[in-house]
């Protein structure tokens, strides 16, 4: 879903097709669990360009994306450390 959404947004510039796909990706992200940085960053750019959200909401999405990115990076580092400790 997300790859096709980016394709519609970036390659085709078909914003009317990309809009519901982004909303579905956001809905699934919220339903399934933690924030996904790529979805939040991409939607923030999309929403800013097509004026679906105001600047403050877009900046909030970027802040959430950055937080999700940091949390994901720290999780990977912990997993790698555990694997290194086992060997």
């Amino acid at each position: 879903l997300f790859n096709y959404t980016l394709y519609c947004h970036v390659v085709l510039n078909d914003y009317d097709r990309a809009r519901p796909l982004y909303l579905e990706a956001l809905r699934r992200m919220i339903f399934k669990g933690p924030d996904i940085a790529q979805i939040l960053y991409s939607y923030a750019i999309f929403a800013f360009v097509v004026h679906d959200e105001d600047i403050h909401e877009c900046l909030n999405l970027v802040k959430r994306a950055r937080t999700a990115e940091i949390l994901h990076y720290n999780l990977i580092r912990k997993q790698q450390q555990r694997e290194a400790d086992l060997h």
Side-chain angles (χ1 to χ4, degrees):
L1 173 69
F2 182 63
N3 289 337
Y4 182 65
T5 304
L6 282 178
Y7 176 74
C8 292
H9 172 195
V10 177
V11 176
L12 299 179
N13 291 323
D14 188 348
Y15 299 145
D16 291 331
R17 190 182 307 174
R19 182 176 289 108
L21 295 171
Y22 271 119
L23 296 177
E24 179 63 19
L26 288 167
R27 187 190 69 77
R28 289 180 186 189
M29 179 189 70
I30 291 167
F31 178 76
K32 288 183 91 175
D35 285 346
I36 300 170
Q38 294 88 344
I39 293 173
L40 293 169
Y41 281 133
S42 298
Y43 181 67
I45 293 167
F46 175 81
F48 181 76
V49 168
V50 299
H51 306 288
D52 280 358
E53 304 286 350
D54 66 6
I55 185 67
H56 300 295
E57 182 60 29
C58 291
L59 291 173
N60 184 41
L61 289 167
V62 169
K63 184 178 177 181
R64 281 178 59 192
R66 182 67 183 139
T67 301
E69 195 173 32
I70 291 168
L71 291 173
H72 184 70
Y73 175 75
N74 287 338
L75 178 66
I76 290 172
R77 283 187 42 214
K78 286 179 185 177
Q79 288 173 344
Q80 289 173 342
Q81 185 61 42
R82 281 188 209 127
E83 289 174 6
D85 291 343
L86 292 175
H87 296 314

